[in-house]
Amino acid sequence: MTSLWRASRAPMTSDDPVERCDDVVVGAGITGLVTALLLARAGREVVVLEARDVGAVTTGHSTAKVSLLQGTRYSQLLRRQSEEVVAGYVAGNREGRDWLLRYCEEHDVPHRVRPAVTYAADPGRGLDPARAELEAASRLGLPVRWTEDLPVPFEHVGGVVLDDRAQLDPMDLPDALVEDLRAHGGRVVTGARVTGMGQSLRPVVRHTRGATRCDRVVLATGTPVLDRGGYFAKLSASRSYALAFDHPTPPELMLISAGGPTRSVRDAPGPRLLVGGEGHPVGRTRSERGHVDRLREWTATHFPDAVETHAWSARDYRSHDGFPFVGAMPRGLGHVHVATGFDKWGMTNGVAAALDLSASILGGRMPRSRPIHRRISRPQAVAALVGINARVAMGIVTGAAEVVLHPLRPGSPAEGAGEVGRAGAVPVARSTVDGRSCAVSALCTHPGGVVEWNDAESTRDCPLHGSRFTATGEVLEGPAARDLPPRPVRRTRDVGP
């Protein structure tokens, strides 16, 4: 599965690593690159470390909607926090949107203006949430309106509309940011997976291309690596899917449904139609391929002229109370800063986080962030946190039980298939991809959860905190920082008739 945005782009050339700098930013997505650029503009010596290549994870797999209307987010947040706190969230997203669009104008990054719509597919599931979002967004000062008739080929009973939003190719922006960062003396080092950090008067960030000593570290990965604040226990990881189609007349709207199942629709140059949705917790579904097929079926029903060109997935993190975590990491001695928990709305939240982090490192502050930083978890948020960790505990127990009860079968799995079982007393994950069979440890190298086979992308996904590995065990996405070690499995001879 390959993202439309990344399919025709060659990896960006890497800079050489350095031994010392002022700031190390981990992660070359939108959040990390904007943070690095703002620090470099202030005269600081900045190095961005990226485990894979620029935009390889969330940024390059986004639907890239730049919008203050975010599904049914505001009505949900207002049930968990005061209006002052939610207004701070809106203000941050507004600043993030304005900075991003201003940057696009100044650096000739292509983008298109489109209305954003949260629509109700039917009265039974979607109408009440959509109406609640209309009320919440209006209370928060957004110029939203309700319409009963949308120019789309699928059934609906109206929706909330916010005009003059924007959409873009999410890889055009990182290209411009990297060029700008380098012009200000910054470096972007790719293929440098961070593996650890020594803490002294100046942190030493260890990575696969060396070690770099610095004054400040910014963790701008999906979930924080080097996690000294226990954020993995406050976040839930979800995976959703997107399809791109050639289509003569896609709707010129940015749509997302209220209620489930989620359907996200936008257009792109080509002309192309993008359809997304079918989200689920990472590693907790019978078949990832089944989710993709349901998107295909929905599109074929409502857009029969659509011809599929690309399919991909994206991983996102949601905090226990729905607000991003942005700021100094506990037990980081003031040297380590973090940004995570954007819950699918990273285009605005990521830039807002970068503005916040860079201001803090440079000795300033963003007044609109104060209510969010001082928020107190209400009972509903506490219950959500308990639920996240209860599901993790249950996942550990059920995963271990599954392995104990199912020894590996003789022979290798079929092409494209994977399995988990017991080889003696050892949990082993086996698979066959492109004719190559391999066996690795079935225990995630982060918390020890049993990895599950992802049949849509031929990867191994951890259902506890969302780590992801290739079929041969290499880390693709954290919080795990180490590969799954290989596990030899005794071959059994085929017995003839």
Side-chain angles (χ1 to χ4, degrees):
M1 298 176 74
T2 304
S3 160
L4 167 67
W5 319 117
R6 291 178 52 79
S8 60
R9 295 185 187 254
M12 194 170 291
T13 303
S14 175
D15 293 316
D16 293 328
V18 297
E19 295 182 359
R20 291 179 176 81
C21 65
D22 294 325
D23 307 307
V24 166
V25 177
V26 184
I30 295 296
T31 307
L33 291 174
V34 174
T35 303
L37 175 59
L38 293 171
L39 294 172
R41 283 178 174 179
R44 296 180 69 85
E45 200 176 342
V46 185
V47 173
V48 177
L49 300 176
E50 167 57 47
R52 295 161 69 183
D53 58 313
V54 173
V57 190
T58 303
T59 294
H61 295 81
S62 167
T63 54
K65 297 176 180 178
V66 186
S67 177
L68 296 186
L69 182 62
Q70 301 176 352
T72 57
R73 190 168 185 81
Y74 300 134
S75 52
Q76 295 174 22
L77 292 179
L78 284 170
R79 288 196 291 270
R80 295 176 176 172
Q81 276 292 347
S82 68
E83 190 166 326
E84 180 189 21
V85 173
V86 182
Y89 173 88
V90 174
N93 275 257
R94 183 180 286 110
E95 287 182 11
R97 178 207 62 187
D98 292 347
W99 189 97
L100 189 152
L101 295 182
R102 186 167 59 249
Y103 189 89
C104 288
E105 292 286 352
E106 293 170 351
H107 293 81
D108 297 323
V109 177
H111 59 285
R112 294 180 170 191
V113 174
R114 294 286 188 268
V117 181
T118 297
Y119 75 92
D122 60 63
R125 290 172 295 177
L127 186 57
D128 287 345
R131 287 286 190 183
E133 192 65 14
L134 175 69
E135 180 183 351
S138 298
R139 280 174 58 190
L140 294 165
L142 297 179
V144 291
R145 56 186 173 85
W146 182 266
T147 183
E148 299 286 347
D149 188 22
L150 296 165
V152 295
F154 46 85
E155 293 182 1
H156 64 280
V157 289
V160 189
V161 181
L162 183 60
D163 292 316
D164 297 330
R165 304 306 95 190
Q167 61 187 27
L168 43 74
D169 179 332
M171 290 303 294
D172 286 340
L173 184 58
D175 287 349
L177 290 168
V178 170
E179 182 179 355
D180 200 0
L181 173 61
R182 286 171 169 165
H184 284 84
R187 290 171 176 259
V188 178
V189 182
T190 57
R193 183 174 296 281
V194 171
T195 58
M197 183 177 67
Q199 186 67 69
S200 60
L201 294 177
R202 299 188 77 193
V204 179
V205 180
R206 297 187 295 273
H207 51 89
T208 52
R209 296 190 61 183
T212 304
R213 186 178 294 275
C214 60
D215 293 326
R216 297 285 187 276
V217 179
V218 175
L219 302 177
T221 52
T223 186
V225 295
L226 311 179
D227 189 351
R228 301 180 180 197
Y231 289 97
F232 65 85
K234 307 170 191 174
L235 297 164
S236 56
S238 66
R239 185 161 296 283
S240 55
Y241 303 88
L243 303 171
F245 302 85
D246 286 332
H247 191 277
T249 56
E252 294 187 350
L253 300 167
M254 300 190 305
L255 299 124
I256 189 166
S257 59
T262 299
R263 294 291 178 262
S264 170
V265 178
R266 61 159 281 193
D267 67 309
R272 278 195 168 100
L273 167 72
L274 271 61
V275 177
E278 284 292 325
H280 63 85
V282 171
R284 299 180 191 174
T285 184
R286 289 188 176 182
S287 171
E288 287 81 1
R289 187 181 299 164
H291 291 274
V292 181
D293 288 343
R294 283 189 284 277
L295 281 184
R296 290 189 174 114
E297 292 165 4
W298 185 88
T299 306
T301 299
H302 301 293
F303 298 91
D305 296 334
V307 178
E308 184 178 329
T309 59
H310 300 80
W312 68 97
S313 73
R315 185 186 64 169
D316 295 278
Y317 283 90
R318 178 184 177 86
S319 72
H320 68 287
D321 65 357
F323 292 87
F325 293 117
V326 180
M329 177 179 280
R331 296 184 293 281
L333 301 181
H335 299 308
V336 185
H337 302 258
V338 65
T340 186
F342 303 147
D343 195 23
K344 299 181 175 66
W345 298 102
M347 281 291 157
T348 51
N349 270 304
V351 178
L355 294 168
D356 204 340
L357 292 173
S358 58
S360 177
I361 292 171
L362 296 171
R365 64 179 60 183
M366 303 295 286
R368 48 85 177 166
S369 300
R370 192 175 303 160
I372 298 176
H373 293 325
R374 295 179 176 178
R375 72 187 186 274
I376 299 173
S377 292
R378 292 184 172 183
Q380 187 178 15
V382 173
L385 180 60
V386 171
I388 289 171
N389 288 282
R391 286 190 293 273
V392 169
M394 181 61 69
I396 293 174
V397 172
T398 56
E402 185 80 10
V403 170
V404 169
L405 293 172
H406 294 88
L408 287 173
R409 295 187 293 265
S412 299
E415 174 63 36
E419 63 177 350
V420 173
R422 175 171 49 81
V426 179
V428 173
R430 293 195 307 184
S431 62
T432 303
V433 177
D434 296 331
R436 178 185 178 186
S437 296
C438 67
V440 297
S441 169
L443 298 180
C444 176
T445 54
H446 175 241
V450 176
V451 296
E452 300 288 341
W453 181 248
N454 179 329
D455 64 357
E457 298 176 279
S458 297
T459 60
R460 304 189 184 282
D461 300 349
C462 178
L464 303 191
H465 302 114
S467 296
R468 188 174 175 229
F469 306 84
T470 67
T472 52
E474 291 84 5
V475 175
L476 285 172
E477 302 175 41
R482 293 179 291 114
D483 297 341
L484 299 174
R487 288 286 184 262
V489 177
R490 182 182 301 170
R491 293 184 178 274
T492 59
R493 294 184 178 181
D494 293 333
V495 179

